[in-house]
Amino acid sequence: MNELLEAARDVQSAAHVPYSEYPVGAALETADGEVFVGCNLENANYSNSLHAEEVAVAEAVKNGHRDFARLAVSSGRRDGVTPCGMCRQTLSEFCDGDLVVLCDEGEDEEPSEYTLGGLLPNTITEEMLE
């Protein structure tokens, strides 16, 4: 199996999901091959919850990385979950539209593969704000 997808699956065990019981893990690979993982962290005030993709991006950026190649996302249900709209926008702040996004479809299935630009066309960019 894809090592990046396996890292996304493994980090789910650290998720804090007492409300949804829907653990999500994300693994973000830098252009130089380093991998940063994140899991969802729910809060009783749902708007303060952190999504797995956001946590992975924050960890990578905190460690000085700004050039990314691939992202793998997996839920405990292995249901092909894709990054939500908010996570797509966060990813677009740091990643090009050609970022490969792998979504876990289960043990016996190949992951679905998208690009960030395909998932979020016409994203809001820094240039739009100038």
Side-chain angles (χ1 to χ4, degrees):
M1 179 201 314
N2 181 305
E3 290 179 21
L4 195 63
L5 194 56
E6 188 64 39
R9 286 180 176 178
D10 288 347
V11 74
Q12 288 174 36
S13 64
H16 177 73
V17 292
Y19 310 106
S20 72
E21 298 180 2
Y22 188 78
V24 176
L28 182 61
E29 183 180 2
T30 65
D32 63 1
E34 196 167 348
V35 175
F36 293 89
V37 297
C39 58
N40 52 333
L41 306 169
E42 293 179 348
N43 186 293
N45 171 359
Y46 284 111
S47 65
N48 289 356
S49 295
L50 298 173
H51 296 193
E53 300 90 334
E54 294 176 299
V55 174
V57 168
E59 187 67 17
V61 170
K62 178 185 83 170
N63 282 282
H65 295 277
R66 301 288 175 121
D67 193 11
F68 303 104
R70 298 185 307 158
L71 171 74
V73 183
S74 177
S75 77
R77 294 185 188 159
R78 310 290 192 261
D79 55 3
V81 66
T82 63
C84 73
M86 182 175 69
C87 289
R88 293 173 192 192
Q89 183 63 49
T90 298
L91 287 162
S92 73
E93 184 73 15
F94 298 99
C95 306
D96 293 330
D98 61 354
L99 176 79
V100 173
V101 180
L102 303 171
C103 299
D104 194 353
E105 297 287 351
E107 295 293 335
D108 299 325
E109 302 292 328
E110 288 295 314
S112 294
E113 185 173 317
Y114 306 93
T115 62
L116 181 58
L119 290 171
L120 186 65
N122 303 316
T123 184
I124 298 169
T125 63
E126 181 179 350
E127 291 79 29
M128 296 173 115
L129 301 177
E130 293 176 350

